[in-house]
């Protein structure tokens, strides 16, 4: 099935914020409590800063406890709220609807990194208000996965969102963050995890690739995203391309259940080494961190085989090149002593259709997804003073990545950039549908 690419909405006009000042005002509420107030010409945010200092003479430690962030724009009354109840979210959504504001949803599990912030930033370019959810969903974790140790940094996440909000308020056009939804598991699963209902999607797209290693993962993802969509009722939802199979599953869910919204994604955000940004990167210490980009380098090598011969490249040629790169790194690491080496396993490499996720031998008119997964194994011999990640590099860390292959001579993201500048592309392909969602008119 070929579906036309999206024509992205132009930025909405918004008044320019001219200048900013910072003022600090202590609040004499308690001896160990002060308030730091950031005053901007068009925005005001209140942080509650709790100071902890032991009886010993250790340095003062500051801990941001951000309970309720209000950013008030002069003349508009728009506010940015941190809420945990469904009714509060719906009230804010109704307020947006009453003002004919378009709302975008960016679901996250927290531990926000630059990739998340770019996703929110992009969502704000095409909608008036952005609702961000932060919730570590237990139903998408398997019995032996890292639910208990998954990074949870709500206070740091809220500080990052505050800084992004100030940036958005200074933009000449576009939307801002209106709500951060931080529900509890009791809120998201009122019947309890054991008794909850689930969204079960077509196993032909959920039990392949990631679904082979994580058989209940997409059931949990589809269920929690359906709940968030029902709570927020957004006009658009935004996801990262890194989780490409998840994007395909959610596109299908929105289509099959006739949900009234558009699903979009943005290109995977990467570190200079090529490693895809991920919250799970925090598990990697310096040694494993240096080897982690191997998956990206293998996929990039396979893509180069295709780019050198678009019409003649086959699946076996592309994946063989990727395997070669991965094996070279494995051999290099095996030759090192345990105190220096990093062990990893390449779980799979795949070339699939971007809509059906069926394995393909060649890149067709719809394009293709080149994807893979690797598992970083625990370090064998940790050295004194070695820089370690979360859990001291003692656990397996599973990394995924992908690259999109286009049947055209141009990168689809170049066309997306043109569209954001107001140009209309006539190229129609399922690959573009995957990236940008169904057609919407400005």
């Amino acid at each position: 099935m070929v579906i036309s690419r999206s024509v992205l909405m132009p930025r909405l006009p918004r008044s320019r914020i001219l200048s900013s000042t910072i003022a600090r005002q202590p609040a004499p509420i308690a001896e160990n409590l002060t308030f730091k107030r950031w005053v901007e010409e068009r925005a005001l945010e209140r942080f509650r800063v709790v100071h902890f200092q032991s009886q010993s003479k250790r340095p003062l430690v500051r801990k941001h406890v951000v309970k309720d962030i209000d950013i008030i724009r002069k003349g508009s009354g728009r506010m940015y709220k941190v809420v945990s109840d469904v009714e509060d979210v719906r009230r804010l959504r109704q307020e947006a609807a009453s003002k004919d504001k378009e709302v975008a949803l960016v679901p996250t599990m927290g531990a926000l990194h630059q990739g998340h912030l770019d996703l929110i930033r992009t969502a704000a370019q095409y909608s008036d208000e952005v609702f961000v959810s932060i919730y570590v969903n237990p139903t998408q974790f398997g019995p032996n996965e890292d639910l208990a140790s998954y990074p949870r940094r709500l206070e740091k996440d809220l500080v990052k969102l505050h800084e992004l909000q100030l940036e958005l308020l200074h933009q000449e056009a576009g939307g801002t963050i209106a709500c951060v939804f931080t529900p509890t598991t009791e809120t998201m699963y009122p019947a309890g995890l054991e008794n909850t209902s689930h969204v079960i999607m077509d196993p032909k797209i959920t039990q392949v690739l990631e679904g082979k290693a994580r058989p209940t993962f997409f059931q949990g993802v589809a269920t929690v995203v359906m709940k968030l969509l029902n709570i927020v009722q957004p006009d658009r939802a935004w996801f990262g391309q890194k989780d490409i199979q998840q994007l395909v599953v959610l596109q299908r869910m929105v289509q099959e259940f006739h949900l009234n919204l558009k699903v979009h994604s943005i290109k995977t955000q990467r570190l200079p080494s090529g490693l895809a940004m991920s919250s799970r990167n925090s598990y990697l210490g310096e040694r494993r961190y240096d080897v982690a980009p191997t998956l990206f380098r293998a996929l990039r090598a396979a893509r180069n085989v295709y780019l050198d011969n678009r019409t003649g490249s086959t699946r076996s040629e592309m994946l063989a090149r990727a395997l070669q790169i991965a094996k070279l790194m494995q051999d290099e690491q095996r030759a090192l002593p345990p105190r220096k080496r990093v062990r990893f396993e390449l779980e799979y490499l795949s070339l699939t259709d971007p809509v059906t996720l069926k394995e393909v031998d060649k890149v067709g008119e719809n394009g293709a997804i080149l994807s893979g997964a690797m598992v970083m194994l625990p370090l064998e011999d940790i050295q004194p003073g070695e820089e370690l990640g979360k859990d001291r590099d003692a656990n397996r860390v599973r990394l995924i990545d992908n690259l999109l292959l286009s049947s055209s001579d141009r990168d689809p993201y170049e066309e997306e950039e043109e569209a954001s500048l107001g140009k209309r592309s006539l190229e129609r392909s399922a690959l573009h549908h995957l990236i940008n969602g169904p057609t919407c008119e400005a």
Side-chain angles (χ1 to χ4, degrees), residues 7 28 35 117 125 184-185 213 250 265 301 409 430:
V7 178
F35 282 81
L117 300 180
Q125 291 177 4
T184 63
T185 295
L250 295 178
S265 75
D409 291 334

Side-chain angles (χ1 to χ4, degrees), residues 125-352:
Q125 291 177 4
Y126 305 116
S127 295
D128 301 285
E129 296 186 353
V130 179
F131 284 44
V132 179
S133 66
I134 298 178
Y135 175 63
V136 180
N137 175 40
T139 63
Q140 68 191 65
F141 288 81
N144 299 317
E145 295 182 8
D146 57 343
L147 173 60
S149 62
Y150 192 87
R152 293 166 171 84
R153 301 191 284 258
L154 179 58
E155 293 168 6
K156 292 181 179 179
D157 290 343
L158 293 177
V159 171
K160 290 181 180 180
L161 292 174
H162 153 67
E163 294 170 350
L164 176 58
Q165 179 77 329
L166 293 181
E167 174 192 322
L168 295 175
L169 286 166
H170 282 77
Q171 300 296 321
E172 293 184 11
T176 57
I177 303 168
C179 172
V180 179
F181 182 39
T182 61
T184 63
T185 295
E186 290 72 21
T187 296
M188 294 302 293
Y189 295 93
L193 293 175
E194 298 297 326
N195 302 315
T196 192
S197 301
H198 294 280
V199 176
I200 300 177
M201 298 297 296
D202 182 1
K204 290 192 291 295
I205 62 172
T206 61
Q207 298 303 305
V208 298
L209 305 175
E210 288 298 290
K212 283 185 177 180
R214 310 178 71 186
T216 63
F217 174 71
F218 291 109
Q219 175 179 293
V221 168
T223 298
V224 76
V225 172
M226 178 69 84
K227 288 173 177 283
L228 290 169
L229 295 177
N230 282 329
I231 292 169
V232 178
Q233 297 287 309
D235 301 289
R236 301 170 186 268
W238 290 81
F239 303 89
Q241 182 199 313
K242 183 180 76 70
D243 301 300
I244 194 73
Q245 188 176 1
Q246 172 180 285
L247 181 61
V248 172
V249 170
L250 295 178
Q251 286 271 25
R252 178 79 69 83
M253 182 182 77
V254 167
Q255 180 184 19
E256 290 193 7
F257 286 90
H258 302 284
L259 302 182
N260 187 26
L261 75 148
K262 297 176 176 63
V263 175
H264 302 276
S265 75
I266 68 168
K267 193 172 183 178
T268 302
Q269 304 302 301
R270 301 185 181 277
L271 298 168
S273 64
L275 179 64
M277 291 184 181
S278 170
S279 299
R280 284 190 169 92
N281 290 349
S282 63
Y283 291 111
L284 304 176
E286 183 178 9
R287 206 193 313 176
R288 293 201 292 180
Y289 197 84
D290 289 341
V291 177
T294 298
L295 178 58
F296 167 72
R297 292 165 186 162
L299 295 175
R300 182 177 59 184
R303 181 183 63 181
N304 289 340
V305 171
Y306 169 68
L307 294 177
D308 288 342
N309 185 8
R310 289 178 181 268
T311 58
S313 299
T314 64
R315 166 195 177 83
S316 60
E317 292 171 339
M318 286 183 269
L319 299 190
R321 179 58 177 156
L323 284 168
Q324 181 184 20
I325 296 299
K327 188 176 185 304
L328 285 172
M329 178 57 77
Q330 280 184 323
D331 292 343
E332 178 182 312
Q333 292 297 314
R334 286 170 181 160
L336 298 174
R339 62 186 176 85
K340 290 185 177 181
R341 73 181 171 212
V342 173
R343 300 174 301 153
F344 68 90
E345 297 172 351
L346 191 62
E347 195 169 278
Y348 71 83
L349 290 170
S350 178
L351 184 70
T352 58

Side-chain angles (χ1 to χ4, degrees), residues 371-397:
S371 62
M374 67 182 287
V375 178
M376 308 294 294
L377 301 179
L379 294 181
E380 298 173 274
D381 186 2
I382 297 174
Q383 299 301 298
E386 182 172 3
E387 183 180 334
L388 300 174
K390 181 178 171 62
D391 294 341
R392 296 184 56 80
D393 283 70
N395 295 319
R396 295 162 60 95
V397 180

Side-chain angles (χ1 to χ4, degrees), residues 20-202:
S20 64
T21 59
I22 297 177
R24 298 181 180 181
Q25 298 181 1
I29 293 181
E31 185 176 350
N32 67 337
L33 182 78
T34 62
F35 282 81
K36 180 185 283 187
R37 180 166 293 179
W38 297 69
V39 181
E40 300 245 338
E41 181 180 343
R42 303 253 175 176
L44 168 66
E45 176 174 11
R46 295 190 301 274
F47 277 91
R48 193 175 71 185
V49 182
V50 182
H51 288 201
F52 297 90
Q53 189 171 25
S54 65
Q55 293 181 352
S56 63
K57 296 184 178 180
R58 294 184 350 189
L60 185 69
V61 178
R62 292 185 177 184
K63 181 180 179 183
H64 290 277
V65 185
V66 187
K67 294 293 185 182
D68 183 19
I69 300 175
D70 293 339
I71 293 184
I72 304 173
R73 298 178 60 208
K74 193 178 294 184
S76 70
R78 186 180 300 176
M79 303 171 75
Y80 159 19
K81 292 284 188 179
V82 180
V83 300
S84 56
D85 295 330
V86 172
E87 292 307 314
D88 289 335
V89 177
R90 288 179 170 165
R91 175 178 54 81
L92 293 171
R93 180 63 180 95
Q94 289 170 358
E95 290 177 1
S98 67
K99 300 174 184 177
D100 198 26
K101 303 292 187 183
E102 183 176 280
V103 168
L105 171 66
V106 180
T108 81
M109 291 209 303
L112 302 181
H113 51 69
Q114 191 58 46
H116 292 115
L117 300 180
D118 284 348
L119 196 61
I120 297 166
R121 186 180 288 111
T122 304
Q125 291 177 4
Y126 305 116
S127 295
D128 301 285
E129 296 186 353
V130 179
F131 284 44
V132 179
S133 66
I134 298 178
Y135 175 63
V136 180
N137 175 40
T139 63
Q140 68 191 65
F141 288 81
N144 299 317
E145 295 182 8
D146 57 343
L147 173 60
S149 62
Y150 192 87
R152 293 166 171 84
R153 301 191 284 258
L154 179 58
E155 293 168 6
K156 292 181 179 179
D157 290 343
L158 293 177
V159 171
K160 290 181 180 180
L161 292 174
H162 153 67
E163 294 170 350
L164 176 58
Q165 179 77 329
L166 293 181
E167 174 192 322
L168 295 175
L169 286 166
H170 282 77
Q171 300 296 321
E172 293 184 11
T176 57
I177 303 168
C179 172
V180 179
F181 182 39
T182 61
T184 63
T185 295
E186 290 72 21
T187 296
M188 294 302 293
Y189 295 93
L193 293 175
E194 298 297 326
N195 302 315
T196 192
S197 301
H198 294 280
V199 176
I200 300 177
M201 298 297 296
D202 182 1

